[in-house]
Amino acid sequence: MSDITENISLGSDTYQCIHCGAALKYKPGTTFLHCDYCGADTPINAKVVDEVEELDFEQYAKDIELLDTQATKVICCRKCGAESTFDESMKSAECPYCSMPFIESDVHMERLIRPSYLLPFKVADNEMQSHMQTWIKSLWFAPNKLKQRALYSNKLQGVYIPCWTYDAQTNTDYSGQRGDSYTTTVGSGKNRQTVVRTRWSYRSGHISLFFDDVMVPASGMIPSDVMSKIQNWDTMNMVDADNRFLSGFVTEKYVMNMTTGYEYARRRMEAEIDYAIRRDIGGDSQRVDSKKTRFSNIKFKLILLPVYMSSYTYGNKLYHFFVNGRTGRVTGDRPYSKVKITLAVIAGLIALALFAWFVNNQG
Ligand SMILES: [Zn+2]
Ligand SMILES: [Zn+2]
């Protein structure tokens, strides 16, 4: 059971070394597949993406069968429910989210939508140590022990996270009110005072906004707030979703479908349209009475983003952290040191007391 890949044939695409026959893995930051056994590199002649092709949302929403799908072996974790796919080059087959070892009965076949593009891993896992150290040093109020502990964390696992992206042209007609503040004096004699009042005037207008690549993570495991912190994806460097880039990495199965993803994207677009309306109205405060938005030319695609993840236990609690596989930027849960926070609070109180003493003794 230690080496599950001997028992189950995982994934349909395994690339073998032409020199020794071993399973090849994608080498982050390069366009090569690497052989861990003989050290040979095999080039991936990936197609350069000249123009990113996107699919028409309404057409595919009407007929989901049009989407390009492939039969895929999916592993569902018995402990946490994460569903992922990976290939035979993976030596240790364990769940990237909870480290549970997989067994053969966890595998089932499914037809999944083929992603269009991906961002290959750029940072190699052996370069991660320095990124981790930088992150830990930057933490305020972290327990000292954490600084050693996190370096001996569970295995760092590279996972491709599925993500929907949406484009849309929007045209909005609105009507609302603009509030301009002014000050005036009211009352007389002892009751005389200056007050701030708002003068309201009606406004209407038209807002035209184009949204490009609004990203909605389709992951069931990474919370969306974490995903938004791992941002800054250089999507201009995406390549065709060639399976060779997935060799040696886990790929999480998308759990959110394209129509639910669009609902999320649309809400984000609407929030931005609201903001644009308020800016257009101007003044000191705004009221939006009505608005009508037409969404047209809606396009979408499914892409894969590279994220390293791991966890560490500290004080009987499991902390997760995530790393942008392109930039090495770390995001994660972390414990706070009660001792350090207490000391900081005491130091702050002493500073305040000293300040008060100086002020009182000035004159
Ligand atoms: Zn080899
Ligand atoms: Zn799991």
Side-chain angles (χ1 to χ4, degrees):
M1 205 186 91
S2 61
D3 196 355
I4 156 185
T5 53
E6 280 174 8
N7 309 318
I8 333 170
S9 164
L10 292 164
S12 46
D13 296 291
T14 307
Y15 303 96
Q16 287 184 332
C17 177
I18 50 161
H19 305 286
C20 72
L24 296 174
K25 287 178 184 172
Y26 170 61
K27 188 175 176 181
T30 70
T31 49
F32 290 102
L33 288 171
H34 182 72
C35 177
D36 278 348
Y37 294 88
C38 74
D41 283 341
T42 308
I44 304 172
N45 298 313
K47 225 170 78 201
V48 178
V49 181
D50 299 325
E51 202 180 332
V52 173
E53 200 187 315
E54 291 171 318
L55 304 170
D56 186 83
F57 179 77
E58 279 168 55
Q59 186 190 350
Y60 285 87
K62 253 183 254 150
D63 191 358
I64 212 111
E65 299 288 306
L66 290 173
L67 283 166
D68 183 14
T69 58
Q70 58 189 342
T72 316
K73 271 181 183 143
V74 177
I75 292 202
C76 179
C77 175
R78 279 158 301 143
K79 193 172 162 198
C80 75
E83 291 188 281
S84 40
T85 64
F86 51 86
D87 60 77
E88 278 172 90
S89 67
M90 306 281 296
K91 268 180 268 165
S92 66
E94 56 180 41
C95 175
Y97 298 97
C98 71
S99 305
M100 181 81 172
F102 288 132
I103 56 165
E104 187 155 11
S105 59
D106 296 339
V107 181
H108 66 274
M109 288 299 285
E110 228 176 299
R111 280 211 83 79
L112 296 179
I113 298 168
R114 205 190 285 273
S116 307
Y117 304 98
L118 62 83
L119 271 175
F121 275 89
K122 196 171 179 183
V123 183
D125 54 359
N126 55 19
E127 295 166 43
M128 281 313 303
Q129 199 78 341
S130 65
H131 288 288
M132 277 299 301
Q133 264 158 345
T134 314
W135 178 62
I136 287 168
K137 275 190 204 135
S138 75
L139 296 180
W140 286 63
F141 301 131
N144 283 334
K145 269 192 209 154
L146 171 69
K147 313 213 166 182
Q148 299 121 38
R149 194 69 57 89
L151 298 176
Y152 303 102
S153 53
N154 292 330
K155 199 175 145 241
L156 200 63
Q157 178 71 66
V159 184
Y160 281 101
I161 303 297
C163 188
W164 298 104
T165 77
Y166 300 89
D167 292 358
Q169 176 60 51
T170 67
N171 285 289
T172 306
D173 289 308
Y174 72 84
S175 64
Q177 295 165 56
R178 170 184 169 130
D180 292 288
S181 307
Y182 63 97
T183 51
T184 182
T185 313
V186 293
S188 57
K190 246 180 13 189
N191 295 325
R192 199 179 152 86
Q193 55 175 325
T194 307
V195 292
V196 179
R197 294 262 163 88
T198 302
R199 186 181 295 115
W200 291 97
S201 53
Y202 285 96
R203 287 286 191 278
S204 65
H206 181 88
I207 299 282
S208 176
L209 279 183
F210 176 71
F211 291 92
D212 186 32
D213 286 348
V214 175
M215 284 199 196
V216 181
S219 166
M221 299 310 292
I222 297 194
S224 55
D225 62 312
V226 170
M227 206 55 200
S228 62
K229 280 186 210 146
I230 319 176
Q231 54 183 293
N232 293 332
W233 300 105
D234 52 333
T235 46
M236 62 291 222
N237 294 321
M238 281 192 308
V239 298
D240 271 325
D242 185 317
N243 282 344
R244 283 172 291 185
F245 288 109
L246 310 181
S247 303
F249 293 93
V250 173
T251 303
E252 193 192 332
K253 185 192 130 180
Y254 57 88
V255 291
M256 184 186 281
N257 66 34
M258 60 176 269
T259 38
T260 312
Y262 176 61
E263 291 309 314
Y264 280 93
R266 195 173 154 130
R267 254 176 267 160
R268 292 233 303 269
M269 295 180 206
E270 274 165 359
E272 274 193 49
I273 292 168
D274 264 24
Y275 184 71
I277 291 175
R278 288 176 188 278
R279 224 175 22 212
D280 202 45
I281 292 177
D284 301 304
S285 43
Q286 305 82 26
R287 288 175 181 155
V288 180
D289 298 326
S290 75
K291 59 169 193 242
K292 203 170 170 54
T293 302
R294 207 162 46 83
F295 290 80
S296 56
N297 210 11
I298 308 159
K299 299 278 184 328
F300 75 101
K301 60 184 180 295
L302 181 62
I303 61 168
L304 299 174
L305 299 172
V307 174
Y308 282 108
M309 54 183 76
S310 187
S311 53
Y312 57 90
T313 314
Y314 187 85
N316 294 327
K317 200 174 169 242
L318 189 68
Y319 293 92
H320 288 277
F321 61 87
F322 305 91
V323 187
N324 183 318
R326 299 287 297 176
T327 62
R329 212 192 118 120
V330 185
T331 309
D333 305 337
R334 39 77 54 103
Y336 287 85
S337 161
K338 283 195 188 113
V339 175
K340 284 194 189 177
I341 292 172
T342 310
L343 287 176
V345 169
I346 293 171
L349 289 175
I350 293 172
L352 268 179
L354 283 174
F355 178 71
W357 185 84
F358 276 118
V359 170
N360 287 335
N361 292 278
Q362 274 298 303

